[in-house]
Amino acid sequence: MKRVVMPGNETVAHAAVAAGCRFYAGYPITPSSELAAEMSKLLPKVGGKFIQMEDEIASMAAAIGASVAGYKAMTATSGPGFSLKQEHIGLACMMEVPVVIVNVMRGGPSTGLPTHPAQGDVMQARWGTHGDHPIIALAPAFPTEIYMETIRAFNLAERFRNPVILLLDEILAHTYEVVDIPEPEEIELVERKLPPSGLNRLDFYTYQRKEGDPPLLPNFFQGYNFHFESLAHDEMGFPTTDPEKVAYISRLREAKIEKHREEIWKNDEYMLEDAEIVIFAYGSVARSAKEAINRLRSEGIKVGLFRPITLWPFPHQPLRKAVGERKVLVAEMNLGQMVYEVERALRRDVFTLFKADGTPISPVEFMDKIKGELI
Amino acid sequence: MKEINHYELRFSAIGGQGIITAGAMLAEAVVQYKGLYAIHSPRYTAQVRGGPTKVDVVIDKNPINFPKTTNVDYYLSTSEKSFRTYFQDIKPGAIIVLDSNLVEEFNDPKYRVYRIPLIETAAKEIGNVVTVSTLSLAVTAKLTGLLTLEELEDFIPKRVPKGYEEINLKAVRLGYSLV
């Protein structure tokens, strides 16, 4: 293990390279630019490729192209750029191409608050691209966790052949913190599964698999005929409007995530056991919540934290089980987004603490809210 | 060294003066030599050079949850405008270090105020204005007791650009003796 002081943006870059990322395409945007800068230094040293594209749309397309060619690929952006990437995120979902997209959340909408934090893109991470599609989104909160979750983002992308979105915010991206970097041999990496060699190439169908399995897409030049298609397609990858075939492939796409959601879910529970009040928070807001919990407990007020690290698929069942009948306070740096999922999971109203003015929710604000309204 | 549970510092300046670097070096050094946890978060304005900037440093014996300052124990500034702009959440009793040539009189009995010609000392006595980063770090280390002279003498030559080791060591020793 090596202890270093780095900002979140650089931590993601170092972790991506450790995870085997060898292609980065991006267009700089505050507060994510340092991530691109760091990738441009790191990738050439390991034989990887860095390219600054003409815009975010092209960056997303380039990352997908590199992934199809067999490379672990990443792009990074922030709010407005994340909006631009949505079309091609849908393409990657449809073609089932692994790729990691980092979105450093800043105040929105539009160009909003470029240098200030927000959590206003969490629903966009789920539903930003049109149509029904499977997605995985991770929201780490602590420096070493940012490193480990970046690696997990690549592992999940490769394992499930799907885009994975890594959500940071301006605070996590820009604050220099202590990161404990594990030795390479301590890191578990997932490599994409390729179809076995030697199959009759006419018998190999690009998207054929058991329901619940990710597809085994060959890399370019592996010797198989295959077809990538953004239109609704059949198991061979060719366009179809046959309702039965369309429904079948759509079900296969959803099932590969749905069936394995327990493997994808990851939550942190802090002082939850004897808590009378449960805070639901993620990303940097959860850190403020932890500080508030420590201070409230020293005053004898029993508060705990449920912190999803995997935001999508949303952990409905784990949340329901962890919270039970206790009072819940949902805190977000937006005007109320994940709260809809929390209420859906719990099937009841909850208390809320929302803030979208470009400043973090402080521990004191948590304490005032809880003392004023929850006890 | 005194026992540290939690300590917050702020350095404010005009972009380009090198004060952000002092904060960054302080955070790195206490992590390396004291086994403490530290964060530092720089804030820049739209101007790369010439606008008010600051860096906040939080030091704690445990991993840091809330990565922002709420109660600043130590505030160093080399610019009148920046000093006023970022004069927030300063704890009563805090140590305040001001560049005596660049910040106007500030006599508030609530604080322990030191006036030192930081930039002039770096430029004239040490011989290179860029050493103001190291000079400010040494002054801070001495006043707060966060780092010893020996620790700085070990840290600085490895941290500064090649060829600037000696002049920065001079800044360390001078800074440590100034206060």
Side-chain angles (χ1 to χ4, degrees):
Chain A
M1 190 199 78
K2 195 170 75 185
R3 176 161 286 192
V4 295
V5 178
M6 277 197 302
N9 277 335
E10 288 179 21
T11 304
V12 172
H14 284 262
V17 171
C21 175
R22 293 295 178 268
F23 184 87
Y24 180 97
Y27 188 79
I29 181 169
T30 302
S32 75
S33 302
E34 299 83 2
L35 204 166
E38 196 67 11
M39 287 306 273
S40 75
K41 289 183 215 156
L42 296 176
L43 278 177
K45 291 184 198 158
V46 292
K49 296 269 181 274
F50 171 94
I51 183 163
Q52 180 173 322
M53 299 296 288
E54 69 269 33
D55 62 29
E56 286 88 347
I57 302 171
S59 316
M60 190 67 231
I64 293 170
S67 181
V68 165
Y71 284 89
K72 290 187 183 179
M74 177 168 80
T75 186
T77 189
S78 180
F82 194 48
S83 292
L84 289 170
K85 288 186 193 290
Q86 294 302 331
E87 181 182 356
H88 284 334
I89 291 174
L91 179 66
C93 291
M94 189 59 145
M95 300 197 314
E96 306 192 54
V97 175
V99 60
V100 173
I101 303 117
V102 183
N103 176 28
V104 181
M105 292 185 283
R106 70 189 216 185
S110 192
T111 47
L113 290 163
T115 56
H116 292 75
Q119 294 180 324
D121 308 347
V122 286
M123 280 291 169
Q124 189 186 22
R126 178 64 193 90
W127 297 115
T129 196
H130 57 278
D132 293 295
H133 60 277
I135 204 80
I136 298 171
L138 312 177
F142 291 89
T144 303
E145 190 176 272
I146 291 173
Y147 191 91
M148 300 311 289
E149 287 301 297
T150 302
I151 289 168
R152 195 164 78 98
F154 278 94
N155 286 349
L156 291 171
E158 298 295 329
R159 159 115 170 76
F160 294 108
R161 294 239 169 202
N162 208 71
V164 174
I165 294 164
L166 185 71
L167 294 167
L168 305 185
D169 64 47
E170 187 274 334
I171 297 175
L172 297 175
H174 279 166
T175 308
Y176 287 72
E177 302 198 67
V178 174
V179 189
D180 288 330
I181 295 183
E183 297 301 326
E185 57 272 18
E186 295 168 49
I187 299 170
E188 211 176 306
L189 295 185
V190 174
E191 303 304 331
R192 66 181 69 168
K193 271 195 193 143
L194 298 172
S197 298
L199 295 178
N200 182 337
R201 55 191 207 139
L202 294 176
D203 289 344
F204 177 78
Y205 287 1
T206 315
Y207 291 104
Q208 195 176 44
R209 66 315 242 304
K210 253 193 7 257
E211 188 168 328
D213 287 353
L216 291 174
L217 302 182
N219 286 335
F220 278 175
F221 313 119
Q222 205 191 330
Y224 293 110
N225 299 340
F226 62 99
H227 197 247
F228 282 112
E229 178 55 65
S230 66
L231 287 168
H233 46 258
D234 59 16
E235 283 186 305
M236 292 174 77
F238 285 99
T240 179
T241 55
D242 180 336
E244 216 172 289
K245 287 179 177 170
V246 171
Y248 178 63
I249 286 283
S250 167
R251 194 162 74 242
L252 289 185
R253 274 197 304 271
E254 297 293 332
K256 70 179 176 184
I257 304 293
E258 190 60 24
K259 201 173 169 190
H260 299 280
R261 57 190 185 174
E262 281 174 31
E263 179 188 333
I264 303 168
W265 281 337
K266 195 170 173 190
N267 310 302
D268 172 30
E269 296 180 6
Y270 181 66
M271 299 213 172
L272 212 47
E273 211 160 287
D274 65 339
E276 286 156 12
I277 296 162
V278 180
I279 298 174
F280 174 97
Y282 53 90
S284 68
V285 175
R287 298 177 56 164
S288 184
K290 267 194 175 177
E291 181 63 28
I293 289 166
N294 292 344
R295 294 191 203 170
L296 286 163
R297 284 203 169 243
S298 69
E299 297 175 24
I301 303 167
K302 288 180 178 162
V303 185
L305 173 72
F306 183 92
R307 175 172 72 94
I309 300 168
T310 303
L311 286 189
W312 304 110
F314 189 82
H316 287 99
Q317 289 83 344
L319 176 66
R320 219 166 18 236
K321 203 167 147 229
V323 167
E325 298 305 311
R326 293 181 279 193
K327 281 184 194 170
V328 174
L329 172 66
V330 177
E332 306 182 68
M333 260 194 291
N334 56 44
L335 297 177
Q337 297 197 12
M338 292 308 276
V339 65
Y340 293 121
E341 291 300 323
V342 175
E343 289 183 340
R344 205 146 78 112
L346 302 178
R347 299 191 170 88
R348 61 181 162 96
D349 289 342
V350 296
F351 293 88
T352 59
L353 178 54
F354 303 141
K355 197 178 183 191
D357 64 359
T359 64
I361 302 174
S362 72
V364 172
E365 284 171 289
F366 269 107
M367 293 167 76
D368 288 348
K369 179 79 183 180
I370 287 170
K371 286 183 190 171
E373 289 180 41
L374 275 82
I375 51 169
Chain B
M1 184 191 116
K2 63 180 175 188
E3 184 78 15
I4 291 283
N5 285 321
H6 185 87
Y7 202 78
E8 297 183 2
L9 304 95
R10 176 170 300 156
F11 299 78
S12 80
I14 293 294
Q17 280 180 328
I19 294 302
I20 301 263
T21 307
M25 292 195 295
L26 176 73
E28 287 167 31
V30 295
V31 169
Q32 198 177 323
Y33 293 93
K34 302 296 188 190
L36 294 164
Y37 289 87
I39 64 113
H40 65 99
S41 51
R43 177 152 287 283
Y44 306 92
T45 54
Q47 289 164 284
V48 175
R49 284 188 168 75
T53 59
K54 69 155 176 164
V55 58
D56 282 350
V57 182
V58 180
I59 298 169
D60 203 292
K61 71 169 195 279
N62 296 312
I64 293 162
N65 282 322
F66 188 58
K68 295 277 173 191
T69 49
T70 51
N71 230 343
V72 177
D73 299 275
Y74 178 97
Y75 184 16
L76 180 146
S77 184
T78 54
S79 148
E80 171 68 18
K81 188 177 175 197
S82 308
F83 174 61
R84 304 283 168 185
T85 305
Y86 297 118
F87 195 91
Q88 296 141 9
D89 305 322
I90 310 294
K91 200 193 246 181
I95 300 171
I96 295 186
V97 179
L98 303 172
D99 190 302
S100 48
N101 293 324
L102 299 167
V103 184
E104 287 167 23
E105 279 303 311
F106 178 81
N107 295 314
D108 189 327
K110 278 210 299 292
Y111 309 102
R112 282 167 58 198
V113 182
Y114 295 83
R115 297 183 65 83
I116 305 166
L118 288 165
I119 289 179
E120 192 186 335
T121 306
K124 292 189 183 154
E125 274 189 59
I126 303 166
N128 190 333
V129 72
V130 299
T131 60
V132 73
S133 309
T134 304
L135 180 70
S136 303
L137 170 66
V139 166
T140 304
K142 175 82 177 287
L143 282 172
T144 58
L146 282 168
L147 293 158
T148 65
L149 178 62
E150 292 69 33
E151 285 160 347
L152 285 181
E153 284 174 336
D154 184 61
F155 173 73
I156 283 295
K158 297 177 202 156
R159 177 62 170 74
V160 299
K162 269 200 170 36
Y164 291 86
E165 295 91 344
E166 274 314 308
I167 197 162
N168 276 288
L169 275 174
K170 194 173 161 193
V172 164
R173 287 167 195 142
L174 186 64
Y176 226 84
S177 68
L178 267 182
V179 282

